[in-house]
Amino acid sequence: MLELSRLSIGFRRPAGLWRREVVPALRGVSLDVRAGEVLAVIGASGAGKSLLAQAVLGLLPANAVLAGAMRFQGAPLDPAMLRGRRIALVPQSIAWLDPLVRAGRQVEWAAGRAGLPAALRQPAATAALARFNLGAAASRRFPHQLSGGMARRAMLAIATLGQADLLVADEPTNGLDPENAARVLGHLRALADAGRGVLVISHDLSAVLPQADRVAILRDGALQETAPATAFRGRGEALASSYARALWQALPESGFHPAEASPC
Ligand SMILES: Nc1ncnc2c1ncn2[C@@H]1O[C@H](COP(=O)(O)OP(=O)(O)OP(=O)(O)O)[C@@H](O)[C@H]1O
Ligand code: NI
């Protein structure tokens, strides 16, 4: 569905009086998202995860330089044409919500953009908010009256309300308690099971692993490997990169204790 080939992103900055240099941020990343799957992109803060999302949605800052190829459903990707219709984004920042408009109304707008007739927009918005555990009281609030986690769930309602084929969710569980986080990831899983493609970005491998089909590991702008979620078991012998193995072994659920492994 989505194919990224050798995608590189850098940022122009002045270097002396006349020259400009490009500081690399994403280096030759190739990956694909298939219909029906959840692909998790995992990496530490600053690894380039959000840049990947911004590139796919055509939302990179003006000083960004992009190289490589992006294709969507077999054709060169034109983000401006597809954004919000065929490709939806759950942004990392809750500042994407309009501060002057009540949350429920913003979800209704999304229903309008999805092509629903006026009479159906409010019930659709109510249902979308309820899916993420938000009721009428939250719907009436302005963004600044919502908690961070509530605002994130409102953005999830907005992004998932349409019929987008591909959903890109950038840190969709940040600020959520385990119950709401599980609900969010469960819904993303259900969208994939219904045939959509889901690219979920997170710094938290253990949170997304149970719902992911494949996991792409980013480090300092470079892809370390893309592995099936089933490779994250045992001591990570099935993982190709030492970085992915170290990430896995650091999790309690790996059951790996370095102290036990070394004879001392
Ligand atoms: N507008 C910009 N100008 C210059 N550099 C930028 C810009 N936006 C991002 N970067 C750089 O690109 C790199 C990757 O940023 P990105 O936001 O993709 O990280 P991330 O993996 O999403 O991190 P986090 O988990 O903290 O959200 C960082 O080194 C960042 O400083
Ligand atoms: Ni980010």
Side-chain angles (χ1 to χ4, degrees), residues 23-254:
V23 185
L26 207 64
R27 306 153 202 262
V29 170
S30 297
L31 51 83
D32 67 320
V33 184
R34 304 163 192 168
E37 82 164 347
V38 174
L39 175 76
V41 173
I42 301 291
S45 181
K49 308 181 297 296
S50 293
L51 287 179
L52 204 65
Q54 288 162 23
V56 171
L57 273 299
L59 296 171
L60 286 169
N63 63 332
V65 187
L66 188 140
M70 299 191 285
R71 295 178 69 80
F72 183 69
Q73 295 179 333
L77 171 64
D78 179 352
M81 283 295 293
L82 304 177
R83 184 168 62 227
R85 285 190 285 257
R86 310 273 299 282
I87 306 180
L89 173 70
V90 182
Q92 178 172 5
S93 168
I94 58 174
W96 283 79
L97 287 171
D98 187 328
L100 302 176
V101 181
R102 294 178 199 275
R105 176 54 61 89
Q106 297 192 49
V107 186
E108 286 173 34
W109 284 352
R113 287 194 297 274
L116 284 186
L120 297 181
R121 289 175 197 166
Q122 204 193 348
T126 303
L129 285 163
R131 213 174 285 135
F132 296 103
N133 215 6
L134 293 171
S139 164
R140 280 194 298 271
R141 292 190 191 168
F142 290 97
H144 74 273
Q145 297 169 324
L146 298 172
S147 73
M150 291 164 91
R152 191 165 307 284
R153 285 181 283 140
M155 294 197 307
L156 277 149
I158 289 170
T160 56
L161 200 146
Q163 297 298 313
D165 304 303
L166 174 68
L167 181 72
V168 179
D170 193 351
E171 303 278 5
T173 60
N174 269 14
L176 297 187
D177 56 273
E179 189 188 325
N180 275 303
R183 182 187 276 255
V184 165
L185 291 169
H187 187 63
L188 299 185
R189 177 73 257 170
L191 288 174
D193 290 343
R196 317 278 184 88
V198 177
L199 195 166
V200 56
I201 289 171
S202 178
H203 61 274
D204 189 347
L205 173 61
S206 70
V208 299
L209 198 51
Q211 302 290 11
D213 296 296
R214 294 186 300 141
V215 181
I217 306 273
L218 263 187
R219 182 190 196 185
D220 293 336
L223 187 70
Q224 302 296 298
E225 69 176 288
T226 304
T230 51
F232 293 85
R233 63 181 149 84
R235 292 187 174 181
E237 296 89 344
L239 294 164
S241 68
S242 54
Y243 184 69
R245 219 171 299 130
L247 276 184
W248 166 240
Q249 290 179 355
L251 298 184
E253 52 265 49
S254 75

